[in-house]
């Protein structure tokens, strides 16, 4: 039987605020000694009162706007009650029935098909403490407790693990693009959980779902959901039934396992948080925040395609992050040729960044310096292959292209006499290629051009070299090569 | 609306209360009385009254995003029955 996979995601996002959600404790807990970013509020001491962090609310609204959500005119916080040591208060402050934003969408493109995925809601809550297990006891560090956490819930619109992976990746791009989160999955700044079920193709009713946790990379999202879908199908094929439960992805074993311990009562007895007055968002305020929203990745990609004639692929690569897009457009502004700059940025520049494991924010070659290099190519001072070497040097030393070309004597050889001598030597040294050429294989000249380039360490102007070679080959046609 | 014993046991479980059989019987009665009183309120026609989350009349009470000093680790752990390596130590919990 053919099965359809149905997936919805719940993404938790740590917001890039200086202070926690309801108190002034710093959020820079990473690497800090345990329990040193803690105060009476986030420790839940009696009498301590929470106060809402304005920036966290703004970031959530901005995220909602970026995800085409409706922004609530009236929102409130609620207590989600459960007993677990990662919550000092015995409840988590979250949003239940009146979240800040709801009903949006985000497009994903898989195998050339664009699909619109519904966003059910984006709400604001607080992160929990970190537990470490030590034999018969557990240790609790409250540094992370109370860090602003945004929860983004999708509709069950995803139909394959690959769609889920692409969605998560697109979401991360947007979060980083609008500057609300680092989106760092390994560091836990973006945590993607999934609800997944399968049903026979054509059946309207959803199958029983399981919730998958501990997927710490986009790759893990795909692998875990592929595994879980197959597991569910196998259970059904063998006449079994799916148990609704939480399962954790075990990366090392490549499988999901039941986390029965987490199934404490799913009755959170939500009620309005009496310590926090509700939020009323005026349209003036929402419009003020909308005005802060930068041009979003899809819109920017469209514009790059229209304005510079880029392919959809190139536009996608160059809008991988806002910093890359900014770099690209600054280089185009300095150089003028959008396509040439696109090739250099997405080709050589990305290769060098990958090699050095650097992000574009830390690139040692400014957009203006790249434009200078490309101008040296345009005016024939250096050829493409030398330009690549020069870029490597610029990347390594931070020197400008002109300085490197001068200091190393890399100026392209377009001088006819000089190249004629080299070409003659190459013809003499490669009788087979010459014979091929004369035997009716004009492409053999390409090989000879390559040899000229090699002999001149890439400095020969390949167009001029090719012309001279053909000239010499035709001149000496029928005679012994000199 | 009398509560059944099972519901009382579930509520006790959620609240982490260990109740004796006597207490369960007593609270079944008392909680039923409280619910009966709430049920009387349910009979009122509130269709003309907007839902109210809070009665204080405040809204949009927020603070700027500024970090402030936290407590010292020693102060944080001062009331902990047990601590180890700067952390609270509790009976084993499973993730
Ligand atoms: Zn605090």
């Amino acid at each position: 039987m053919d099965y359809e996979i149905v997936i919805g995601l719940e993404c938790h996002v740590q917001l890039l605020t200086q202070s926690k959600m309801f108190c002034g404790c710093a959020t820079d807990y990473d690497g800090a000694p345990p329990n040193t970013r803690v105060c009476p509020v986030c420790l839940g001491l009696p009498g301590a009162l929470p106060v809402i962090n304005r920036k966290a609310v703004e970031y959530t609204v901005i995220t909602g706007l970026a995800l085409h959500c409706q922004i609530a005119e009236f929102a409130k916080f609620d207590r989600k009650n459960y007993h677990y040591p990662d919550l000092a208060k015995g409840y988590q402050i979250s949003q239940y029935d009146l979240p800040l934003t709801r009903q949006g969408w985000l497009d994903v493109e898989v195998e050339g098909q664009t699909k619109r995925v519904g966003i059910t809601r984006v709400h604001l809550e607080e992160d929990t403490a970190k537990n470490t297990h030590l034999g018969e006891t557990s240790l609790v560090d409250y540094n992370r407790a109370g860090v602003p956490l945004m929860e983004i819930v999708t509709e069950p619109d995803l139909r394959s693990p690959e769609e889920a992976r692409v969605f998560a990746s697109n979401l991360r791009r947007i979060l980083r693009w609008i500057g609300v989160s680092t989106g760092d999955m390994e560091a836990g700044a973006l945590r993607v959980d999934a609800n997944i079920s399968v049903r026979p193709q054509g059946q309207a009713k959803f199958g029983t779902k399981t919730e998958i946790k501990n997927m710490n990379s986009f790759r893990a999202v795909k692998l875990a959901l592929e595994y879980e879908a197959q597991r569910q199908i196998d259970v059904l094929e063998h006449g079994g039934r799916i148990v609704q439960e939480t399962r954790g992805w075990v990366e090392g074993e490549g499988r999901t396992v039941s986390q029965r311990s987490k199934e404490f009562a799913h009755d959170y007895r939500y009620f309005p948080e009496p310590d926090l007055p509700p939020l009323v968002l005026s349209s003036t305020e929402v419009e003020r925040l909308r005005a802060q929203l930068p041009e979003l990745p899809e819109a920017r990609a469209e514009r790059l395609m229209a304005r510079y004639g880029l392919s959809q692929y190139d536009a996608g690569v160059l809008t991988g992050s806002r910093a890359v897009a900014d770099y690209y457009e600054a280089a185009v502004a300095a150089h003028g040729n959008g396509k040439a700059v696109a090739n250099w940025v997405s080709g050589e520049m990305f290769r060098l960044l990958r090699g050095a494991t650097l992000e574009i924010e830390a690139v040692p070659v400014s957009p203006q310096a790249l434009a200078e290099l490309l101008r040296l190519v345009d005016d024939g001072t250096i050829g493409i292959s030398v330009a690549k070497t020069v870029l490597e040097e610029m990347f390594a030393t931070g020197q400008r292209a002109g300085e490197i070309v001068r200091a190393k004597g890399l100026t392209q050889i377009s001088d006819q006499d000089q190249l004629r001598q080299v070409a003659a030597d190459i013809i003499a040294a490669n009788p087979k290629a010459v014979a091929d050429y004369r035997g009716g294989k004009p492409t053999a000249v390409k090989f000879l051009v390559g040899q000229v380039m090699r002999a001149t360490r890439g400095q020969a102007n390949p167009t001029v070299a090719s012309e001279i070679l053909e000239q010499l080959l035709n001149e000496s046609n029928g005679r012994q090569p000199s | 609306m009398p509560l059944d014993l099972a519901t009382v046991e579930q509520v006790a479980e959620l609240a982490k209360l260990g109740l004796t059989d006597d207490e369960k019987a007593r609270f079944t009665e008392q909680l039923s009385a409280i619910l009966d009183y709430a049920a009387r309120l349910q009979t009122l026609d509130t269709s003309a009254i907007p839902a109210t989350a809070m009665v204080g009349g405040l809204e949009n009470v927020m603070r700027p995003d500024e970090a402030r000093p936290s407590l010292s680790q020693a102060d944080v752990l001062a009331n902990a029955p047990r601590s180890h390596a700067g952390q609270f130590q509790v009976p084993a919990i499973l993730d």
Side-chain angles (χ1 to χ4, degrees):
Chain A
M1 194 187 292
D2 279 346
Y3 289 87
E4 182 179 46
I5 302 172
V6 177
I7 300 168
L9 298 180
E10 282 177 24
C11 306
H12 287 91
V13 180
Q14 280 184 341
L15 294 175
L16 266 176
T17 55
Q18 299 294 312
S19 63
K20 289 188 178 179
M21 186 61 230
F22 300 115
C23 62
C25 290
T27 51
D28 62 346
Y29 65 85
D30 195 17
N35 293 306
T36 56
R37 302 292 184 275
V38 182
C39 74
V41 173
C42 52
L43 199 51
L45 296 187
L49 287 174
V51 187
I52 297 166
N53 184 332
R54 179 184 297 276
K55 189 109 224 164
V57 172
E58 292 180 351
Y59 278 174
T60 305
V61 171
I62 286 173
T63 304
L65 291 172
L67 297 174
H68 319 93
C69 290
Q70 295 172 16
I71 310 300
E73 287 169 27
F74 182 93
K76 69 174 171 70
F77 286 95
D78 301 274
R79 290 186 181 182
K80 178 180 181 178
N81 300 279
Y82 64 95
H83 287 277
Y84 204 66
D86 63 4
L87 286 170
K89 300 189 291 291
Y91 57 85
Q92 179 189 34
I93 303 180
S94 181
Q95 296 194 280
Y96 180 55
D97 56 340
L98 295 170
L100 278 163
T101 82
R102 59 170 94 207
Q103 285 180 297
W105 51 264
L106 177 62
D107 283 344
V108 293
E109 203 189 287
V110 175
E111 288 163 11
Q113 301 272 18
T114 300
K115 161 163 208 172
R116 183 149 294 184
V117 180
I119 307 283
T120 315
R121 56 192 279 154
V122 181
H123 76 244
L124 196 48
E125 57 187 36
E126 55 178 337
D127 210 343
T128 56
K130 182 166 169 282
N131 302 320
T132 319
H133 306 298
L134 189 75
E136 297 294 291
T137 63
S138 295
L139 302 177
V140 191
D141 170 11
Y142 286 97
N143 280 352
R144 195 181 68 185
V147 166
L149 199 63
M150 190 168 63
E151 182 172 324
I152 301 170
V153 183
T154 79
E155 292 292 304
D157 286 346
L158 297 157
R159 289 293 174 271
S160 73
E162 174 64 5
E163 284 184 8
R165 186 192 66 79
V166 174
F167 178 90
S169 163
N170 276 11
L171 179 65
R172 176 175 184 270
R173 177 170 73 153
I174 287 204
L175 295 170
R176 288 165 56 88
W177 191 281
I178 60 179
V180 301
S181 177
T182 63
D184 186 338
M185 286 183 89
E186 265 174 53
L190 170 60
R191 312 198 280 268
V192 179
D193 299 335
N195 287 305
I196 177 170
S197 62
V198 299
R199 60 181 169 188
Q201 205 67 252
Q203 179 183 303
K205 195 169 162 284
F206 287 137
T208 303
K209 67 185 176 186
T210 56
E211 187 181 3
I212 311 299
K213 290 178 176 283
N214 297 343
M215 301 178 289
N216 296 324
S217 66
F218 297 127
R219 190 174 155 272
V221 168
K222 187 172 182 192
L223 291 176
L225 295 179
E226 278 171 351
Y227 173 90
E228 178 63 14
Q230 193 55 51
R231 186 192 70 83
Q232 293 188 8
I233 291 168
D234 288 347
V235 168
L236 295 176
E237 289 284 294
H238 289 86
R241 45 178 281 276
I242 307 298
V243 181
Q244 184 166 347
E245 61 181 351
T246 300
R247 299 176 68 87
W249 169 243
V250 186
E251 182 85 36
E253 299 173 20
R255 63 196 189 100
T256 63
V257 297
S258 179
Q259 291 185 321
R260 287 182 197 284
S261 61
K262 273 237 163 130
E263 285 173 50
F264 37 82
H266 276 286
D267 179 354
Y268 295 121
R269 296 158 295 145
Y270 281 98
F271 62 85
E273 167 57 83
D275 292 340
L276 293 172
L279 296 172
V280 177
L281 296 153
S282 70
S283 56
T284 325
E285 175 69 1
V286 173
E287 288 318 307
R288 185 183 70 79
L289 293 170
R290 194 191 300 276
Q292 289 178 22
L293 211 58
E295 185 186 19
L296 293 172
E298 296 88 353
R300 195 153 181 188
E302 293 286 331
R303 184 168 62 75
L304 295 187
M305 286 162 66
R307 186 155 171 195
Y308 306 119
L310 301 189
S311 69
Q312 186 166 21
Y313 178 81
D314 280 344
V317 169
L318 292 171
T319 52
S321 79
R322 205 168 144 194
V324 168
D326 287 347
Y327 183 94
Y328 167 70
E329 289 209 272
V332 176
H335 178 262
N337 184 336
K339 273 193 133 152
V341 174
N343 289 339
W344 279 88
V345 172
S346 64
E348 289 302 299
M349 191 61 90
F350 275 18
R351 189 177 62 78
L352 292 169
L353 287 168
R354 268 196 305 275
T357 52
L358 282 181
E359 297 282 332
I360 194 118
E361 285 89 336
V363 70
V365 180
S366 71
Q368 291 72 25
L370 178 65
E372 282 170 23
L373 173 71
L374 300 200
R375 271 199 297 275
L376 293 179
V377 177
D378 295 343
D379 66 17
T381 308
I382 55 174
I384 300 281
S385 65
V386 168
K388 289 182 182 174
T389 319
V390 172
L391 183 59
E392 277 175 27
E393 189 79 12
M394 293 166 72
F395 197 89
T397 65
Q399 278 183 292
R400 305 298 273 229
E403 294 169 34
I404 295 168
V405 169
R406 262 194 309 281
K408 301 208 155 182
L410 295 173
T411 308
Q412 178 164 270
I413 306 166
S414 302
D415 181 83
Q416 299 269 343
D417 293 338
Q418 204 181 338
L419 284 183
R420 193 177 298 274
Q421 189 52 53
V422 180
D425 293 346
I426 294 297
I427 286 175
N430 293 282
K432 184 172 181 310
V434 172
D436 285 350
Y437 179 80
R438 291 189 178 138
K441 265 182 72 185
T443 51
V445 83
K446 281 193 183 147
F447 170 78
L448 295 170
V449 171
Q451 296 302 305
V452 170
M453 298 306 289
R454 230 172 95 171
T456 57
R457 286 178 300 127
Q459 280 174 259
N461 179 327
T463 317
V464 178
S466 172
E467 281 166 15
I468 291 175
L469 279 166
E470 291 197 37
Q471 218 176 18
L472 288 177
L473 288 166
N474 293 330
E475 261 174 25
S476 58
N477 208 353
R479 279 179 276 151
Q480 285 302 307
S482 55
Chain B
M1 188 176 61
L3 274 181
D4 59 22
L5 187 65
T7 307
V8 172
E9 283 173 342
Q10 198 214 347
V11 171
E13 167 71 22
L14 289 172
K16 295 272 184 256
L17 295 173
L19 299 184
T20 64
D21 286 348
D22 269 4
E23 285 170 328
K24 283 179 195 167
R26 183 145 42 92
F27 289 134
T28 302
E29 207 172 295
Q30 289 184 359
L31 287 171
S32 296
I34 292 168
L35 287 178
D36 284 346
Y37 179 70
R40 283 174 60 197
L41 295 177
Q42 299 274 36
T43 62
L44 294 173
D45 177 13
T46 56
S47 55
I49 303 168
T52 309
M54 293 195 76
V55 292
L58 294 171
E59 58 188 40
N60 295 344
V61 179
M62 288 184 266
R63 44 171 257 279
D65 178 32
E66 285 160 15
R68 294 214 244 138
S70 300
L71 297 174
S72 71
Q73 190 189 67
D75 280 347
V76 170
L77 297 172
N79 293 321
R82 279 178 83 186
S83 68
H84 176 77
Q87 304 194 55
F88 290 85
Q89 194 168 17
V90 300
I93 44 177
L94 296 166
D95 264 340

